[in-house]
Amino acid sequence: MHNFATKENNNNNSPIERLKEISSWVSSVLDLDQLLELIIEKATFMMRAKASSLLLLDKKTRKLYFKVATGEKKDEVRKYEINLGQGIAGYVAEKGEPLLIQDVTKDPRWYKKISESTGFETKSIACVPMKMNGDIIGVVEIIDKEDGSPIQPQDMRLLTVFADLASQAISSAQKIDKVRKENQDLREELSQKYQIIGESRALKKVISDAFKVANSKTSTMILGESGTGKELLARLIHKAGPRKEDPLVIINCAALPDTLLEAELFGYEKGAFTGATTRKIGKFEIADGGTIFLDEIGEMSPGMQAKLLRVLQEGVFYRVGGNTPISVDVRVISATNRDIAKEVEEGRFREDLYYRLNVVQIHMPSLRERKEDIPLLANHFLQLFRQEKGLPHLTISRAAMEKMVRYDWPGNIRELRNAMERAVVMGNGKEILPEDLPIFSPRKAQQGITVGMTLKEAVDAFKKDFIVQNLKHTGGNRTEAAKIMGIQRTYLSRMISKYDLRDI
Ligand SMILES: Nc1ncnc2c1ncn2[C@@H]1O[C@H](COP(=O)(O)OP(=O)(O)OP(=O)(O)O)[C@@H](O)[C@H]1O
Ligand SMILES: [Mg+2]
């Protein structure tokens, strides 16, 4: 993939010059995997080694795995993992001291298995640790010189320089990630994306409960209709507690089939199944120290419920295809819009899991139960969208506001937000009018339609119902109703006589 041969042949630079060149990559190559590969390839080349590799330490499993390998058996060795303390690499990773062994067959620390099964004859190995802030993060090793000469002490010095470069590369990649994340957090805070708006007593109670649970690790279940702000509340609980600097990991349990959900939650080892070409860290592990938010928990299958229960009971889990128990410190918040107690009663949701998740329960009130928040929310979204769409002077007319307060909002705050967005975009740009708001209950409009009717009869039934609803909505104001439905006032009058709706 990377061919340096021509470059190498053309210049007579000293090793120091060459190293300077490599150092400059560390700041210029943004892709970490590619950078580590470049570093190891260069090390192999400069030391004329037969093979070399970079192994990283997985802190959870305390195993080293091959991140980069060169040499004729490079693809085969990547399958192996080495326990901390096992073999020469494991020894160096454990002790943190470099090691040069001229004849491995005479050294009791040598772990023969890999060479034997790949058929790669090994005589000497030089191995140095990689460190970051005093912690050992992995090792770099070279195996034998191409010409059969012994590995020299100066090779060890060079290898140490390469190991340091690789550590620096990893450290700067992590720093870049951190800066990215901080920027994102800052942007989110600035955009007030996760602000919870509302002054109603019902909402205030919910928020004060959230602050109370935030300070402990108590498992919390958030119940409430769709669009009431369950996810927003989960974010608040996380952000208001001592874990706020650690990750909040959100996973929607309804979005994935079981096998994928399991892999997402617990991760998998390389080769665990077809397509698992690299190891993947699961959400539980990513959330270590922080919070995991299991959204739509009510949709979880019985099989996954059993697996989740085991993790919560035992505090440990295994990556798919792995056999090392991994323990994490994670706070669990879950949410569902189902009537979960009923799900338990009817046997669709495990009772034991329910008790684990539902130590504290918070119920998000629907928007119907706190209509006094509607104007606040409407203005909040108005501000948001008029800024976004460049209409700074747009306001909400009194009639439109009244219409919103009267409406039942089956989709709750999400529906209100969408309605405001549409109104901002579709309106006249000065004032939001009732007809700009796409709100009426579509479910009711289909009442009275049944199998057995002709299409014409069904269409008539629908039309009649639809017109009735709109007339009711506007308090009998035909001009307004016609506007909302996007039809001529005269056509509406004809329909009113046809369906005999004069009394509305
Ligand atoms: N009190 C609030 N103040 C401001 N915005 C809110 C509030 N409650 C909800 N929202 C907004 O409404 C939308 C829906 O909220 P959220 O996704 O948290 O609801 P949910 O209960 O998780 O819904 P679902 O059950 O459909 O997943 C989001 O855009 C959210 O930002
Ligand atoms: Mg949600």
Side-chain angles (χ1 to χ4, degrees):
M1 187 164 68
H2 313 287
N3 189 354
F4 307 112
T6 45
K7 239 183 177 176
E8 294 299 336
N9 293 342
N10 291 343
N11 72 44
N12 305 319
N13 284 348
S14 67
I16 294 295
E17 287 303 310
R18 289 180 185 173
L19 281 175
K20 274 192 189 154
E21 180 201 334
I22 301 165
S23 305
S24 73
W25 297 343
V26 175
S27 47
S28 63
V29 181
L30 278 176
D31 180 66
L32 178 64
D33 289 1
Q34 194 191 357
L35 186 53
L36 293 176
E37 218 165 276
L38 283 172
I39 291 171
I40 294 306
E41 280 180 11
K42 197 78 169 183
T44 320
F45 186 86
M46 281 178 70
M47 285 179 276
R48 309 264 180 260
K50 272 196 197 158
S52 49
S53 38
L54 186 154
L55 294 96
L56 289 180
L57 180 64
D58 181 335
K59 283 216 176 80
K60 290 280 175 214
T61 60
R62 294 172 60 77
K63 281 182 179 164
L64 291 160
Y65 61 96
F66 284 87
K67 183 76 184 163
V68 186
T70 69
E72 52 179 291
K73 301 290 180 187
K74 63 179 184 191
D75 295 325
E76 284 157 64
V77 298
R78 282 173 191 254
K79 293 182 197 120
Y80 292 90
E81 286 191 327
I82 297 166
N83 289 327
L84 201 59
Q86 181 182 45
I88 290 158
Y91 179 88
V92 170
E94 188 171 46
K95 301 281 184 238
E97 304 287 338
L99 201 59
L100 168 58
I101 295 169
Q102 294 295 4
D103 186 353
V104 289
T105 57
K106 295 204 182 102
D107 196 292
R109 285 171 295 208
W110 192 42
Y111 176 56
K112 291 195 275 287
K113 201 176 133 202
I114 300 179
S115 292
E116 276 177 5
S117 59
T118 59
F120 189 84
E121 211 175 290
T122 303
K123 191 155 191 300
S124 57
I125 292 186
C127 183
V128 300
M130 286 166 54
K131 292 185 184 171
M132 203 186 331
N133 308 323
D135 277 343
I136 296 164
I137 58 166
V139 302
V140 176
E141 62 178 18
I142 57 169
I143 299 178
D144 292 330
K145 296 280 229 178
E146 264 174 358
D147 59 6
S149 65
I151 299 175
Q152 300 294 330
Q154 69 255 35
D155 291 323
M156 288 298 280
R157 284 199 292 277
L158 210 47
L159 194 58
T160 308
V161 172
F162 279 108
D164 289 346
L165 277 177
S167 309
Q168 270 174 39
I170 292 172
S171 157
S172 39
Q174 286 178 353
K175 276 187 200 133
I176 291 171
D177 271 358
K178 194 163 168 245
V179 170
R180 268 195 205 129
K181 189 176 178 304
E182 279 168 3
N183 275 338
Q184 197 189 342
D185 285 353
L186 211 63
R187 273 203 304 276
E188 280 168 1
E189 258 166 52
L190 286 178
S191 77
Q192 300 180 327
K193 194 168 152 196
Y194 299 123
Q195 210 183 334
I196 301 188
I197 305 291
E199 294 282 318
S200 60
R201 270 182 60 179
L203 188 74
K204 281 188 174 155
K205 168 85 170 71
V206 159
I207 291 177
S208 88
D209 286 352
F211 275 110
K212 279 185 215 155
V213 295
N215 285 318
S216 66
K217 211 186 133 181
T218 318
S219 295
T220 306
M221 186 179 263
I222 305 171
L223 302 181
E225 287 176 19
S226 167
T228 47
K230 297 186 291 296
E231 181 177 330
L232 221 50
L233 194 76
R235 287 183 188 275
L236 174 75
I237 294 173
H238 175 74
K239 280 288 170 203
R243 295 169 173 253
K244 65 169 182 285
E245 301 300 334
D246 292 298
L248 164 70
V249 178
I250 298 179
I251 182 152
N252 186 324
C253 304
L256 298 170
D258 270 14
T259 45
L260 287 183
L261 181 59
E262 186 178 6
E264 274 299 310
L265 283 174
F266 309 126
Y268 51 80
E269 294 293 347
K270 189 171 162 176
F273 44 81
T274 336
T277 49
T278 51
R279 90 177 35 207
K280 183 179 151 96
I281 302 298
K283 302 276 191 207
F284 261 100
E285 231 171 300
I286 296 173
D288 195 8
T291 306
I292 193 164
F293 175 47
L294 303 169
D295 202 3
E296 306 210 31
I297 190 84
E299 316 297 315
M300 198 179 251
S301 75
M304 276 309 294
Q305 288 179 30
K307 286 188 173 137
L308 178 61
L309 177 68
R310 210 171 317 131
V311 174
L312 299 182
Q313 277 170 341
E314 290 162 20
V316 297
F317 61 91
Y318 298 85
R319 294 184 191 138
V320 177
N323 49 19
T324 314
I326 294 173
S327 67
V328 289
D329 165 32
V330 173
R331 131 174 247 154
V332 181
I333 304 178
S334 55
T336 180
N337 51 23
R338 290 205 183 191
D339 180 349
I340 192 84
K342 190 165 152 235
E343 298 291 304
V344 171
E345 217 170 275
E346 294 177 1
R348 283 187 297 272
F349 199 86
R350 291 182 73 114
E351 192 170 12
D352 40 12
L353 179 59
Y354 176 62
Y355 286 127
R356 287 254 163 202
L357 295 172
N358 189 48
V359 180
V360 171
Q361 186 176 95
I362 298 184
H363 180 81
M364 287 307 284
S366 69
L367 200 46
R368 284 186 299 293
E369 297 166 79
R370 49 185 181 110
K371 281 191 175 262
E372 63 267 47
D373 286 341
I374 293 174
L376 280 174
L377 282 159
N379 278 313
H380 169 72
F381 293 129
L382 172 72
Q383 235 175 40
L384 189 86
F385 292 121
R386 72 179 174 195
Q387 207 176 351
E388 214 178 281
K389 319 283 179 198
L391 297 165
H393 305 299
L394 187 65
T395 56
I396 304 176
S397 71
R398 239 189 60 194
M401 191 63 97
E402 280 167 11
K403 182 175 174 182
M404 286 193 273
V405 174
R406 255 181 291 145
Y407 181 60
D408 262 359
W409 300 105
N412 293 294
I413 297 133
R414 180 176 297 111
E415 186 184 4
L416 173 58
R417 186 192 154 100
N418 292 344
M420 284 304 297
E421 182 167 16
R422 182 189 179 278
V424 170
V425 174
M426 303 303 284
N428 60 20
K430 272 168 51 192
E431 194 186 31
I432 291 173
L433 301 171
E435 61 265 37
D436 299 331
L437 295 162
I439 51 178
F440 39 76
S441 183
R443 270 174 297 149
K444 285 190 193 148
Q446 292 177 20
Q447 272 174 11
I449 298 173
T450 61
V451 173
M453 283 179 166
T454 64
L455 177 63
K456 177 159 188 327
E457 284 164 349
V459 169
D460 275 342
F462 170 80
K463 269 193 198 163
K464 181 177 170 186
D465 215 63
F466 187 56
I467 291 169
V468 168
Q469 277 198 50
N470 276 278
L471 284 172
K472 280 188 181 158
H473 208 82
T474 59
N477 183 331
R478 295 181 185 184
T479 311
E480 203 189 327
K483 255 192 195 169
I484 295 175
M485 289 183 283
I487 57 176
Q488 295 288 332
R489 169 81 171 41
T490 45
Y491 179 67
L492 177 61
S493 295
R494 258 187 285 139
M495 292 300 117
I496 287 174
S497 1
K498 180 176 170 189
Y499 298 126
D500 202 13
L501 304 174
R502 263 167 298 255
D503 293 342
I504 295 171

